[in-house]
Amino acid sequence: MRSRTASVPRVVGMAAALLGLLLSLLSFSTPAQAAPTGFRIENGRLLEASGNDFVMRGVNHAHTWYPGETQSLADVKALGANTVRVVLSDGHRWTKNSAQDVAGVIAQCKANRLICVLEVHDTTGYGEEAAAGTLDHAADYWIGLKEVLTGQEDYVIINVGNEPWGNTDPAGWTDPTIAAVKKLRNAGFAHTIMVDAPNWGQDWQGVMRANAKSVYNADPTGNLIFSIHMYSVYDTAQEITDYLNAFVNAKLPILIGEFGGPADQYGDPDEDTMMAVAQQLRLGYLAWSWSGNTDPILDLAIEFDRTRLSSWGQRVFNGANGIAATSKEATVYSSGGGDTTPPTAPGTPTASEVTSSSVKLAWAAATDATGVTGYDVVQVRGATETTATTTTGTSATVTGLAPATSHTFAVYARDAAGNRSPRSATVTFTTSSGGSSSSCGVGYRVTSSWPGGFQGEITLRNTGTSAINGWTLRWTFPDSQRITNLWGGTATQSGSEVSVAAASYTAAIPAAGSVTLGFTASRATANPSPTAFTLNGAACSVS
């Protein structure tokens, strides 16, 4: 027996060696990569399968409580949205949305050329809200919908569970979040997955901010985006900019998955900064909510009627940095034969009501086959353009202009698909001399720094007895610092000289009032602070 079998191990061993060598050689070749399917995350950005950057601009819709309000999706699209976040229930707390119902929602999103973010709401406030369900239960719900969701990766993002932890022991959020993501990946989901923060979505104790990297790394596909909900916790510009920039600087994807503007018993959210910074950083935002709120001050549309927008709805859709002016339709629709024709150029703007720091511009409307949704007013300086304001009408007042200076402006039109028209002809005018004589004070501080860069904050105070309406702030950096991003105004820089024109929402400063600007900048080794500032040509005190 031994003599008959002694050669078998040797032959098997030689075969194994040859097989190992072959596998080793094959391992040096790079396998062909499949084309990306659906949305994906790359370098901290949300991309479509086409590779185009996608910035969500839309609203939340309470479908699970108002399943009959199916016209809402068409209505939010008509107002310019490119995304809708749809409230669903997994049956733990409210009536379960069936697979047939969810398939219908997806079909309606696609028919209205909207990206569909689907979320389970039953998890809201887990650990503090006794009726709330777990993320694990929510994950099981998604797995039960797998046949409906598979193949929709171009159109659907899965938000595992809404605000899945309350204020009690929010550190407990991390492990269940990782487990839910892994459960979905193990079940074969390739979709972009969205995860909400603890503290009822507002992360005021910083648990998601501190653990985001570990949660992101736990997703084997890297196709995960974080969602922060911004309400009264975020009532200052610094809180908003600090939080969002922490993720952007770490190249971790984030959006504002819910936000409110109206003041409540807890405080007054700074929605102007939320929207402005989201636009500057090219981050998504989804306002809460279309209609049907228990607290009606948060209704964007009154009684689900898109022709009756509340003041909150007007702000979100038609205000500065609003949906109508900044939304761009997903290319998955336009690449499928959708609207790719831009509007005609608007008429040449005319200038009137020229003061030392402002002007009213008006122009003839552009035309478009599917309708113009907004206009971008740009200031032209040679070959450089800077967006001064956005509007849905055919006139706008631009503030923050330098006195006794020649200014040139032009206008672009946009349509619902995000197509931009050719530029209008330009108009040039000269502001009157003098500017505002109001006294001013400036507080300048560095809020954080890193090798080669820093973040700063400027508080501009009106120390006079009358309001400032429109301003331009100027200073000179002492050591080659350069602005890379600024919110609260429009910055231009020539060498070390910086000029910031007010944004529409910071232009008016009442007597004894103030506005705050934030910015990021590059720097050399040293980072000395500027020592002198002027407002509309007048020197300000510095503190």
Side-chain angles (χ1 to χ4, degrees):
M1 289 291 296
R2 183 177 179 87
S3 62
R4 292 177 59 190
T5 59
S7 63
V8 174
R10 179 176 297 176
V11 173
V12 172
M14 290 175 63
L18 288 171
L19 180 59
L21 177 61
L22 178 61
L23 292 173
S24 175
L25 290 172
L26 288 173
S27 69
F28 284 101
S29 62
T30 302
Q33 297 295 314
T37 299
F39 283 102
R40 68 184 189 275
I41 301 298
E42 190 173 295
N43 200 31
R45 303 293 302 170
L46 177 65
L47 305 182
E48 294 186 68
S50 63
N52 286 354
D53 205 55
F54 183 70
V55 180
M56 294 186 206
R57 288 286 180 268
V59 304
N60 288 263
H61 171 52
H63 172 74
T64 199
W65 304 306
Y66 301 97
E69 296 293 345
T70 54
Q71 177 64 29
S72 296
L73 300 183
D75 288 342
V76 299
K77 176 63 178 183
L79 291 167
N82 63 20
T83 306
V84 63
R85 181 172 179 257
V86 180
V87 178
L88 301 176
S89 172
D90 64 7
H92 180 86
R93 187 172 180 185
W94 295 285
T95 302
K96 182 178 180 179
N97 293 96
S98 67
Q100 181 180 5
D101 181 47
V102 174
V105 168
I106 295 171
Q108 289 178 61
C109 283
K110 292 167 71 174
N112 287 290
R113 305 165 71 88
L114 290 163
I115 296 305
C116 206
V117 177
L118 302 176
E119 61 103 340
V120 164
H121 214 75
D122 306 67
T123 56
T124 306
Y126 180 81
E128 186 174 351
E129 170 56 63
T134 65
L135 281 170
D136 187 63
H137 191 270
D140 287 339
Y141 174 70
W142 296 120
I143 292 170
L145 294 174
K146 190 163 187 270
E147 287 191 8
V148 169
L149 297 172
T150 298
Q152 303 299 329
E153 293 86 354
D154 280 317
Y155 308 95
V156 172
I157 291 172
I158 298 173
N159 190 176
V160 186
N162 182 69
E163 301 178 3
W165 213 275
N167 292 325
T168 302
D169 187 27
W173 166 89
T174 304
D175 289 341
T177 299
I178 289 173
V181 171
K182 287 185 173 180
K183 192 169 192 175
L184 293 178
R185 294 304 185 211
N186 290 338
F189 283 84
H191 303 70
T192 297
I193 291 176
M194 184 184 296
V195 295
D196 282 8
N199 295 127
W200 300 86
Q202 297 199 77
D203 201 30
W204 60 268
Q205 290 176 285
V207 171
M208 186 171 82
R209 180 173 173 171
N211 293 279
K213 189 68 174 176
S214 62
V215 173
Y216 183 81
N217 289 341
D219 181 356
T221 70
N223 196 7
L224 181 128
I225 188 168
F226 296 94
S227 173
I228 183 67
H229 293 182
M230 289 187 164
Y231 292 100
S232 53
V233 166
Y234 296 91
D235 56 1
T236 69
Q238 183 178 348
E239 290 166 329
I240 296 161
T241 55
D242 283 354
Y243 194 93
L244 296 177
N245 274 288
F247 281 77
V248 171
N249 292 337
K251 295 193 180 303
L252 290 169
I254 192 168
L255 81 154
I256 306 174
E258 286 184 21
F259 70 104
D264 57 26
Q265 66 269 36
Y266 304 108
D268 187 2
D270 184 359
E271 70 275 14
D272 289 340
T273 297
M274 294 175 201
M275 296 170 72
V277 176
Q279 179 65 9
Q280 296 227 348
L281 297 178
R282 304 297 294 153
L283 302 179
Y285 66 64
L286 304 171
W288 186 274
S289 78
W290 178 240
S291 198
N293 284 282
T294 305
D295 187 349
I297 63 169
L298 286 171
D299 283 355
L300 296 159
I302 298 169
E303 297 179 350
F304 293 94
D305 184 350
R306 76 177 175 94
T307 67
R308 298 170 61 203
L309 292 182
S310 65
S311 58
W312 171 224
Q314 289 288 356
R315 174 68 191 92
V316 166
F317 283 103
N318 301 321
N321 303 299
I323 288 172
T326 65
S327 175
K328 185 173 183 179
E329 187 177 81
T331 58
V332 69
Y333 294 116
S334 58
S335 63
D339 179 13
T340 59
T341 304
T344 62
T348 304
T350 59
S352 63
E353 301 177 22
V354 181
T355 72
S356 61
S357 61
S358 66
V359 64
K360 182 177 180 180
L361 300 173
W363 54 90
T367 60
D368 184 77
T370 57
V372 174
T373 58
Y375 295 91
D376 298 333
V377 180
V378 297
Q379 186 164 15
V380 182
R381 298 180 179 92
T384 303
E385 294 180 357
T386 304
T387 300
T389 189
T390 57
T391 181
T392 56
T394 55
S395 65
T397 297
V398 180
T399 60
L401 304 177
T405 303
S406 176
H407 300 275
T408 300
F409 283 86
V411 183
Y412 291 91
R414 290 182 183 275
D415 65 16
N419 299 309
R420 200 184 199 201
S421 75
R423 196 178 79 182
S424 73
T426 60
V427 61
T428 300
F429 59 90
T430 300
T431 47
S432 58
S433 60
S436 171
S437 59
S438 298
S439 300
C440 57
V442 172
Y444 177 98
R445 71 187 186 100
V446 173
T447 58
S448 62
S449 61
W450 53 91
F454 70 102
Q455 182 171 328
E457 180 182 273
I458 297 172
T459 301
L460 176 56
R461 295 182 292 272
N462 180 357
T463 57
T465 57
S466 59
I468 297 173
N469 293 300
W471 51 263
T472 298
L473 182 69
R474 291 185 170 85
W475 72 89
T476 300
F477 275 128
D479 188 32
S480 70
Q481 298 100 321
R482 289 200 66 84
I483 299 286
T484 55
N485 188 32
L486 184 139
W487 45 98
T490 301
T492 57
Q493 184 167 352
S494 176
S496 295
E497 297 179 356
V498 180
S499 175
V500 177
S504 59
Y505 57 93
T506 60
I509 312 176
S514 66
V515 295
T516 301
L517 315 177
F519 66 90
T520 56
S522 61
R523 66 180 178 90
T525 303
N527 191 20
S529 299
T531 57
F533 294 83
T534 63
L535 184 72
N536 292 342
C540 300
S541 61
V542 181
S543 58

